[in-house]
């Protein structure tokens, strides 16, 4: 009725993610966590996705995708078992033997960018708790986040990380790596 769209380019301009997109993401988070638990894969939310979990327990309304880091040694596990995601209405795309560190999980309207990493944030924890993942509540699903999510958000986005700010692409930056708070 009000003309909201799940298309990424329109969502960014609307500064609002329609509830149908959030439902798709919640299903994807559940599928990812079940898969990772079953196959012993380490992953954690990253960047604005982690910030959204800290601030809102949801996707940031103006964010156009979601970001996850995973143990890059498990790239082939995702590739070989992608039919599990297909059976849940999701598609894994952009696999490449040359690019073993990146692929995408596609819901019908929202993309989760999966970034391979050689290490997860848990390496900075004391040895006796490294194997216990930090969980964050995201759209009604408990998923794995970085260790100490609040400190991560403060260190990445600055002391004002709980204040509202626009998406980095709307601020004239070329990447989220530039501080959105300056």
């Amino acid at each position: 009725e009000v003309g909201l769209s799940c298309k990424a380019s329109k969502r960014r301009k609307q500064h609002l993610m329609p509830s149908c997109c959030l439902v798709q993401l919640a299903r994807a988070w559940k599928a990812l966590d079940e898969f990772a638990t079953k196959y012993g894969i380490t992953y954690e939310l990253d960047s604005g996705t982690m910030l959204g979990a800290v601030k809102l327990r949801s996707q940031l309304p103006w964010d156009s995708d979601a970001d996850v880091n995973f143990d890059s040694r498990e790239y082939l596990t995702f590739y070989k078992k992608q039919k599990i995601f297909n059976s849940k209405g999701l598609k894994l795309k952009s696999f490449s033997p040359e690019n073993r560190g990146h692929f995408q999980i596609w819901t019908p309207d929202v993309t989760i960018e999966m970034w391979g990493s050689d290490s997860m944030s848990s390496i900075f924890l004391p040895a006796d708790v490294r194997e216990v993942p930090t969980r964050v509540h995201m759209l009604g699903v408990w998923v794995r986040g970085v260790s100490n999510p609040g400190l991560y958000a403060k260190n990445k986005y600055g002391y004002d990380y709980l204040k509202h700010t626009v998406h980095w692409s709307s601020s004239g930056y070329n990447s989220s790596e530039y501080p959105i708070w300056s």
Side-chain angles (χ1 to χ4, degrees), residues 44-81:
E44 55 192 29
L45 303 186
D46 190 40
S47 300
T49 307
M50 188 69 236
L51 182 62
V54 169
K55 289 175 70 166
L56 306 171
R57 293 183 164 200
S58 182
Q59 186 78 7
L60 292 172
W62 54 89
D63 215 348
S64 59
D65 64 3
D67 295 294
V68 172
N69 288 336
F70 70 96
D71 184 337
S72 59
R73 294 173 292 191
E74 298 295 342
Y75 184 85
L76 289 178
T77 304
F78 281 101
Y79 180 75
K80 290 176 182 176
K81 308 226 180 252

Side-chain angles (χ1 to χ4, degrees), residues 18-164:
S19 58
C20 56
C21 296
L22 296 175
V23 168
Q24 290 175 26
L25 269 175
R27 275 195 232 123
W29 292 132
K30 185 176 180 186
L32 174 61
D33 192 67
E34 288 173 353
F35 181 85
T37 300
K38 181 175 181 177
Y39 293 101
I41 297 171
T42 304
Y43 78 92
E44 55 192 29
L45 303 186
D46 190 40
S47 300
T49 307
M50 188 69 236
L51 182 62
V54 169
K55 289 175 70 166
L56 306 171
R57 293 183 164 200
S58 182
Q59 186 78 7
L60 292 172
W62 54 89
D63 215 348
S64 59
D65 64 3
D67 295 294
V68 172
N69 288 336
F70 70 96
D71 184 337
S72 59
R73 294 173 292 191
E74 298 295 342
Y75 184 85
L76 289 178
T77 304
F78 281 101
Y79 180 75
K80 290 176 182 176
K81 308 226 180 252
Q82 59 186 296
K83 288 183 181 180
I84 292 170
F85 288 90
N86 295 345
S87 71
K88 297 179 187 235
L90 304 167
K91 292 182 181 176
L92 303 189
K93 295 189 174 188
S94 300
F95 281 108
S96 167
E98 300 83 34
N99 187 12
R100 293 181 47 113
H102 176 259
F103 66 93
Q104 299 168 332
I105 299 175
W106 285 30
T107 73
D109 296 300
V110 185
T111 302
I112 299 174
E113 298 286 344
M114 300 291 293
W115 301 98
S117 179
D118 293 332
S119 61
M120 299 284 118
S121 63
S122 60
I123 65 167
F124 299 108
L125 295 174
D128 60 330
V129 293
R130 280 189 196 138
E131 301 304 316
V132 180
T134 300
R135 296 270 181 178
V136 293
H137 198 246
M138 177 60 113
L139 296 167
V141 181
W142 286 97
V143 295
R144 296 176 193 182
V146 296
S147 301
N148 199 336
L151 181 62
Y152 165 87
K154 181 186 76 69
N155 287 342
K156 183 159 181 144
Y157 297 109
Y159 288 102
D160 292 335
Y161 72 97
L162 292 177
K163 286 184 176 179
H164 172 72

